[in-house]
Amino acid sequence: MTSANVLALLGGAPVRTRPFQAWPQFDREEFGALSDVLESRRWGGIHNGSQGESFESTLARYLGAPHVSTVSSGTAALMIALRALGIGPGDEVVVPALTYVATATAVSLAGAVPVFADIDPDTHTLSSSSLKAALSERTKAVICVHLGGHPADMDSLGTVAAAHGIPLIEDCAQSLGASWNGIKTGALGTIATFSFATTKNITAGEGGAVVTHDAGLATRIASLRDHGRPPGSPHGHHELGWNLRLSEFQSALLRVQLGRLDQQLAAKEKSAVYLSSSLSGIPGLRLIPPPAAIDPRVTAHARFSFAFTLDIDTADDSVGTISPDTFRRALRAEGIPVSVRTLTACPDEPLYADPTSCDHSPSQTSAAAQARTACASLILLGQAAGSGMLLDHPTELADVVRAVEKIYDNSHHLRQHPPNPPASTAH
Ligand SMILES: *Cc1c(COP(=O)(O)O)cnc(C)c1O
């Protein structure tokens, strides 16, 4: 066997040594935007310039929703959304068991109880039947998450929420640019929240936004981020608020980044189509079908990640016989920037699973079996793994296919000798 045939994890030569595209992306426009803000000496807060409002109105137009308030993070956006809706101690809020932990901790930070409901195994988004089972007379809201950029089923979730008389909050941290039935995520629910943290579809390192169609809610949101000061009024603090504002530097960066978004989404979609079709023949891999094949109402996917799972049930000649942890490490060793972290379903995070960690509201779990199965076998490529690789041309992404095929060809080695990770590939 030549070194090229030996898995890199077992000492062979890796499939790829060149980097893929980096994330985040920037060019001269970002330099210009930042130096304009510097020279203006209006950097934010009480010395605001026009960058914040300019980005807010650009994002509002992009989303097709009238009111956008920028805030300092996606978590801040969720906290403000919950507070604006009057949610607090004694209330329950249903959240999916598979999401970034902040969806749930924002509920706990409001003093309310997150109630975990399960996901649909095909889309990894909140299941409406599981939502229904999780409702109680204390349920005051539901947060759905467009995970990985795949829009949740807003029709059936909206029907359940409306029947129960509660608002539907969209956590769009991973879905800027996605659309459902031709409407952008963020313009579909009562309130929507965005994150502009480093891995997200547009970024200023940190940042977030709260979006709504409701003018009354929009006023509360703008006041809550600004010490409880009603927007446009320089004096008087009318309610308990925070300083969760965004700086002018961040708004300036985000406006430039938003201008590049649609072109990036088109490139990432091409990559996803290529990877789905090229990887589909490998036994033991379960590709998430193209969104439109699952549901024609998914009119755009935001491609925060390209996700697939290992089908752990399949027999013998299959990558499904390799442990997902070993598979991830083998893929990374071949030069493919995959996240080697095993995801944890939210109810299993130490914060919620350990009954002695009680510095927050307790949680309840109504169902999480599908979320746990997905966590155990999920492989994530793209920004979710900190890489801009989905912006690369399919000729570059052919290395991903070669690496997975190489692991498949060598799967018997990984089954027999589950190797320890060399220090350099640990991440
Ligand atoms: C990133 C993320 C958040 C939190 O956003 P921050 O800006 O990091 O606070 C919330 N929900 C989801 C689904 C996320 O991916």
Side-chain angles (χ1 to χ4, degrees), residues 294-347:
I294 299 179
D295 193 326
R297 292 170 297 177
V298 175
T299 39
H301 190 294
R303 292 295 168 205
F304 173 70
S305 58
F306 180 83
F308 58 89
T309 55
L310 294 187
D311 207 345
I312 321 180
D313 295 332
T314 54
D316 238 23
D317 181 29
S318 147
V319 292
T321 55
I322 306 170
S323 89
D325 180 48
T326 304
F327 182 90
R328 289 184 195 104
R329 285 192 283 116
L331 197 54
R332 195 172 183 94
E334 297 300 339
I336 309 303
V338 63
S339 170
V340 292
R341 201 164 54 93
T342 303
L343 296 179
T344 305
C346 268

Side-chain angles (χ1 to χ4, degrees), residues 372-388:
R372 289 182 174 125
T373 303
C375 283
S377 62
L378 203 57
I379 313 293
L380 291 174
L381 298 172
Q383 288 153 236
S387 166

Side-chain angles (χ1 to χ4, degrees), residues 63-399:
L63 295 174
H67 306 291
V68 172
S69 291
T70 53
V71 294
S72 55
S73 72
T75 309
L78 285 163
M79 286 164 55
I80 286 182
L82 292 164
R83 180 80 86 87
L85 291 167
I87 287 157
D91 298 334
E92 292 177 2
V93 177
V94 179
V95 301
L98 180 62
T99 179
Y100 183 62
V101 70
T103 315
T105 51
V107 175
S108 301
L109 286 164
V113 175
V115 178
F116 296 109
D118 215 348
I119 52 155
D120 174 321
D122 285 333
T123 66
H124 295 163
T125 62
L126 183 61
S127 136
S128 60
S129 59
S130 190
L131 162 61
K132 220 185 259 176
L135 296 171
S136 81
E137 70 282 2
R138 284 185 300 280
T139 313
K140 291 292 153 40
V142 52
I143 307 179
C144 69
V145 181
H146 307 299
L147 199 71
H150 191 114
D153 180 345
M154 293 304 287
D155 295 355
S156 62
L157 294 172
T159 303
V160 175
H164 203 72
I166 53 170
L168 174 56
I169 303 170
E170 294 176 84
D171 180 342
C172 303
Q174 302 186 4
S175 75
L176 179 59
S179 64
W180 173 259
N181 261 332
I183 298 172
K184 290 262 165 40
T185 61
L188 291 152
T190 312
I191 294 191
T193 63
F194 287 86
S195 164
F196 307 124
T198 300
T199 60
K200 308 300 161 86
N201 276 2
I202 63 172
T203 180
E206 299 285 1
V210 193
V211 177
T212 182
H213 290 278
D214 183 313
L217 278 176
T219 305
R220 274 215 81 193
I221 290 161
S223 151
L224 286 168
R225 74 168 168 185
D226 193 19
H227 301 291
R229 194 163 37 202
S233 132
H235 307 295
H237 301 88
H238 295 249
E239 64 181 328
L240 194 57
W242 297 278
N243 172 5
L244 296 174
R245 296 181 302 242
L246 201 62
S247 81
E248 290 281 284
F249 293 102
Q250 291 165 297
S251 291
L253 279 180
L254 290 167
R255 188 174 42 72
V256 175
Q257 298 249 315
L258 185 58
R260 219 179 271 130
L261 177 65
D262 280 344
Q263 178 199 327
Q264 291 179 336
L265 289 175
K268 291 195 286 180
E269 190 54 33
K270 259 191 206 144
S271 300
V273 169
Y274 166 76
L275 287 173
S276 301
S277 67
S278 314
L279 293 171
S280 65
I282 297 173
L285 284 193
R286 185 189 298 231
L287 275 302
I288 295 171
I294 299 179
D295 193 326
R297 292 170 297 177
V298 175
T299 39
H301 190 294
R303 292 295 168 205
F304 173 70
S305 58
F306 180 83
F308 58 89
T309 55
L310 294 187
D311 207 345
I312 321 180
D313 295 332
T314 54
D316 238 23
D317 181 29
S318 147
V319 292
T321 55
I322 306 170
S323 89
D325 180 48
T326 304
F327 182 90
R328 289 184 195 104
R329 285 192 283 116
L331 197 54
R332 195 172 183 94
E334 297 300 339
I336 309 303
V338 63
S339 170
V340 292
R341 201 164 54 93
T342 303
L343 296 179
T344 305
C346 268
D348 302 332
E349 288 280 1
L351 163 81
Y352 290 122
D354 176 3
T356 63
S357 88
C358 55
D359 189 24
H360 58 85
S361 75
S363 65
Q364 293 169 26
T365 305
S366 112
Q370 297 292 351
R372 289 182 174 125
T373 303
C375 283
S377 62
L378 203 57
I379 313 293
L380 291 174
L381 298 172
Q383 288 153 236
S387 166
M389 67 187 298
L390 296 177
L391 296 170
D392 269 304
H393 194 269
T395 50
E396 298 291 318
L397 294 171
D399 281 340

